[in-house]
């Protein structure tokens, strides 16, 4: 509990504030009132899911400096355990914030299958966060992580990666959940999580 009280604030204070600010901007930029299921999916997948990158990418930021790594990797409380707790907390924050935002959309007369859409959006947000987290860990720089997640998101927005592409991970297409894309998204999240763990173990062995 002491670890959570101290580390949680250090890790998530800024990213949580940025996530809330981002969600508050969405109604101003694109509007979230009286949307059908197709446009609601667009808001959730193209805008709200970005909080996954905002919340998850910084969870290893404190340790990306070599001097800090050398101290933490020798502590009794393992670095891997710290990252695991942070990832779990980040996942729960993403779930809570996206659910609250989706409820706000319902209050603004948007029509969509609530639980199905938020489940998919949470998983997609985790994918964006893990994608950036893997690149930041590989490059030892959190900026690289942000740029990689933003690059993928931009490619999807510009339709360089379009909905028919296997690389397009958001599984709701034209308001319909595509099971094949959902399975691909889930497997990609598992793979990215495995790559992240391997990178962390490799960095520990190098110290």
């Amino acid at each position: 509990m002491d670890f959570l009280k101290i580390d949680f604030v250090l890790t998530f204070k800024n990213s949580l504030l940025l996530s809330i600010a981002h969600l508050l901007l969405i109604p101003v930029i694109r509007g979230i009132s009286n949307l059908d299921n197709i446009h609601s999916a667009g808001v959730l997948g193209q805008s709200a899911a970005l909080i996954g990158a905002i919340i998850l990418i910084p969870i290893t930021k404190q340790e990306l400096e070599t001097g800090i790594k050398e101290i933490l990797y020798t502590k009794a409380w393992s670095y891997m355990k710290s990252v695991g707790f942070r990832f779990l907390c980040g996942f729960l924050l993403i779930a809570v914030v996206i659910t609250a935002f989706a409820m706000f959309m319902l209050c603004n007369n948007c029509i969509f299958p609530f639980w199905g859409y938020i489940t998919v959006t949470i998983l997609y947000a985790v994918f964006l966060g893990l994608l950036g987290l893997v690149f930041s860990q590989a490059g030892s720089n959190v900026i690289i992580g942000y740029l990689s997640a933003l690059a993928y998101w931009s490619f999807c927005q510009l339709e360089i990666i379009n909905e028919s592409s296997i690389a397009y991970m958001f599984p709701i297409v034209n308001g319909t959940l595509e099971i094949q894309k959902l399975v691909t998204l889930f497997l990609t999240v598992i793979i990215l999580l495995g790559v992240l763990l391997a990178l962390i173990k490799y960095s520990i062995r190098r110290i």
Side-chain angles (χ1 to χ4, degrees), residues 129-157:
L130 278 174
L131 179 67
L133 191 54
V134 165
F135 275 92
S136 66
Q137 192 69 31
S140 298
N141 192 318
V142 72
I143 300 299
I144 296 175
Y146 284 122
L147 291 176
S148 61
L150 184 60
Y152 176 84
W153 178 84
S154 298
F155 288 159
C156 292
Q157 293 295 102

Side-chain angles (χ1 to χ4, degrees), residues 37-71:
N37 60 327
I38 295 176
H39 292 91
S40 295
V43 169
L44 291 169
Q46 296 170 12
S47 299
L50 275 175
I51 69 164
I54 297 172
I55 289 177
L56 286 183
I57 290 174
I59 67 173
T60 60
K61 180 180 179 181
Q62 300 173 56
E63 291 80 20
L64 288 180
E65 297 180 11
T66 304
I68 298 177
K69 285 182 180 180
E70 291 174 349
I71 296 172

Side-chain angles (χ1 to χ4, degrees), residues 16-206:
L16 185 57
L17 291 174
L18 284 173
S19 297
I20 293 172
H22 170 68
L23 293 179
L24 290 175
L25 282 175
I26 294 175
V28 177
I29 296 172
R30 60 185 303 166
I32 58 168
S33 299
N34 304 308
L35 301 180
D36 58 16
N37 60 327
I38 295 176
H39 292 91
S40 295
V43 169
L44 291 169
Q46 296 170 12
S47 299
L50 275 175
I51 69 164
I54 297 172
I55 289 177
L56 286 183
I57 290 174
I59 67 173
T60 60
K61 180 180 179 181
Q62 300 173 56
E63 291 80 20
L64 288 180
E65 297 180 11
T66 304
I68 298 177
K69 285 182 180 180
E70 291 174 349
I71 296 172
L72 292 177
Y73 288 176
T74 58
K75 296 294 184 180
W77 181 275
S78 72
Y79 176 55
M80 189 70 75
K81 190 182 293 185
S82 297
V83 174
F85 269 105
R86 292 173 190 168
F87 180 82
L88 179 60
C89 290
F91 174 81
L92 292 175
L93 282 176
I94 291 169
V96 169
V97 173
I98 287 178
T99 301
F101 183 75
M103 292 177 66
F104 181 70
M105 289 177 64
L106 287 181
C107 291
N108 281 270
N109 301 314
C110 295
I111 300 173
F112 57 92
F114 182 78
W115 291 112
Y117 272 33
I118 65 169
T119 300
V120 167
T121 304
I122 290 167
L123 187 60
Y124 184 62
V126 171
F127 158 73
L128 290 175
L130 278 174
L131 179 67
L133 191 54
V134 165
F135 275 92
S136 66
Q137 192 69 31
S140 298
N141 192 318
V142 72
I143 300 299
I144 296 175
Y146 284 122
L147 291 176
S148 61
L150 184 60
Y152 176 84
W153 178 84
S154 298
F155 288 159
C156 292
Q157 293 295 102
L158 296 172
E159 297 188 355
I160 297 172
I161 301 175
N162 56 42
E163 294 178 344
S164 62
S165 172
I166 191 172
Y168 188 85
M169 290 296 167
F170 191 62
I172 299 175
V173 179
N174 293 324
T176 302
L177 176 62
E178 294 192 0
I179 300 301
Q180 184 177 357
K181 283 189 175 294
L182 178 60
V183 172
T184 302
L185 174 61
F186 180 77
L187 292 177
T188 303
V189 167
I190 298 300
I191 291 170
L192 287 174
L193 191 56
V195 172
L196 175 64
L197 294 176
L199 287 171
I200 292 173
K201 289 180 180 179
Y202 175 73
S203 65
I204 292 173
R205 287 198 298 267
R206 290 181 60 190

